[in-house]
Amino acid sequence: MFPLNASHNLFSRWGRQARASWLAWWQVVMMGAQILVLALTPSSYAQGPQRQSVLLQVYTATAPLLTWFLILSALVSLVLIRIVVATAYSYGLSQYALEVLVRTLVLELIPLYAAMFVAVRYAMPGAQAVRRRLSAQQREGVVSVPGVLLVTTLLPRALASVFSVLMLAALSGVVALVLTYFTVYGFSPWGLPGYTRGVGQVFTPAVTLIFALKTLFFSLAVAVVPLAASAQADAEGRFARRSDISEFARLFSVVLLIEVVSLVGNYY
């Protein structure tokens, strides 16, 4: 009897965990669809207090992060550029250094760490702040209307996250391309035709489309996944604090899936 009871309890626990995981992902999908619909309807945030809220969140998500992110991105880019260039010259493969740098740094790494930087510095702390506010309202007996919460609180934060990821990725990509030119050709303008030709050979229409879609989906993942979890009550119907590690793992799994799909599209 005891082994049967233990097996039954084990399967029941697995079933509850699977159901909770399914409900959490379904919440993410539904929240993402609602935010996407509202984002494509400018009348829902283009005027009045809602417009001020969106602009405030866009500033909060971008301006405080911009300086430090660009400095960090420039340092990381410079280190990687020196490593790739030195390795390519040592093996006599200097003609491939530019293509390798553009593909690894601009196409793959910059969108990824831009998304993770915004997630850690803005999206996840903001989601925890929303959850704390919902918990405080619940203790006070205030019932939040889901539609009002979505429009007034979640949508401005989601739009700000999307804008921040796209802005940081674009500026960091420009910085990386400029540093690559100066490292490979120095301050001479005579390398510009060959440099633009080499970069243009990498950014074919298909690669550019995949790069743009990947960055967009990264920004949508950063915008939706933390906020969807913040607006979801737990099994007891409360808004208790969630583990930052588990929320980051959920977000990273979505980002990793997008990255794998983009790699398949680029190289297979």
Side-chain angles (χ1 to χ4, degrees):
M1 289 297 294
F2 291 108
L4 291 177
N5 289 335
S7 300
H8 177 72
N9 293 334
L10 180 62
F11 285 121
S12 297
R13 185 166 63 252
W14 283 352
R16 289 193 297 269
Q17 292 175 352
R19 182 175 180 274
S21 178
W22 165 256
L23 290 176
W25 284 111
W26 180 249
Q27 175 79 3
V28 170
V29 173
M30 292 298 295
M31 184 68 67
Q34 295 175 28
I35 289 175
L36 184 60
V37 170
L38 290 174
L40 296 176
T41 311
S43 59
S44 61
Y45 57 87
Q47 46 187 305
Q50 190 65 15
R51 180 174 181 271
Q52 298 299 324
S53 177
V54 171
L55 293 177
L56 176 62
Q57 291 299 328
V58 166
Y59 175 83
T60 305
T62 307
L65 310 184
L66 192 59
T67 302
W68 286 110
F69 178 79
L70 290 181
I71 292 174
L72 177 63
S73 176
L75 291 176
V76 172
S77 298
L78 194 59
V79 170
L80 291 178
I81 290 167
R82 293 299 302 172
I83 291 174
V84 172
V85 170
T87 304
Y89 274 99
S90 66
Y91 286 99
L93 301 173
S94 57
Q95 67 272 23
Y96 301 110
L98 179 59
E99 181 178 352
V100 171
L101 283 171
V102 175
R103 287 188 177 275
T104 56
L105 188 58
V106 179
L107 292 182
E108 307 301 338
L109 292 181
I110 285 178
L112 181 61
Y113 67 69
M116 292 295 98
F117 193 84
V118 175
V120 172
R121 293 295 302 274
Y122 173 78
M124 293 181 62
Q128 292 288 7
V130 171
R131 194 166 183 85
R132 286 195 300 270
R133 195 182 78 179
L134 291 175
S135 178
Q137 290 178 350
Q138 189 179 54
R139 289 194 299 269
E140 296 171 359
V142 179
V143 179
S144 297
V145 180
V148 175
L149 176 67
L150 177 64
V151 174
T152 60
T153 302
L154 302 184
L155 178 62
R157 291 182 177 275
L159 292 175
S161 297
V162 171
F163 179 85
S164 182
V165 172
L166 296 179
M167 176 64 72
L168 294 184
L171 293 178
S172 183
V174 171
V175 170
L177 289 175
V178 171
L179 290 176
T180 300
Y181 178 84
F182 287 146
T183 304
V184 175
Y185 296 100
F187 291 94
S188 172
W190 305 112
L192 194 59
Y195 176 76
T196 55
R197 184 171 58 252
V199 173
Q201 289 175 351
V202 175
F203 280 96
T204 61
V207 170
T208 304
L209 178 62
I210 293 174
F211 170 72
L213 290 177
K214 178 179 72 172
T215 308
L216 177 61
F217 283 121
F218 277 175
S219 65
L220 290 175
V222 171
V224 171
V225 175
L227 288 176
S230 69
Q232 183 183 20
D234 54 24
E236 289 77 21
R238 295 196 294 261
F239 293 93
R241 178 180 174 84
R242 291 176 180 266
S243 171
D244 290 332
I245 299 299
S246 62
E247 295 303 316
F248 182 80
R250 180 183 299 176
L251 173 61
F252 188 75
S253 65
V254 177
V255 171
L256 184 61
L257 178 61
I258 298 171
E259 178 67 27
V260 170
V261 172
S262 71
L263 289 174
V264 172
N266 277 330
Y267 302 109
Y268 290 97

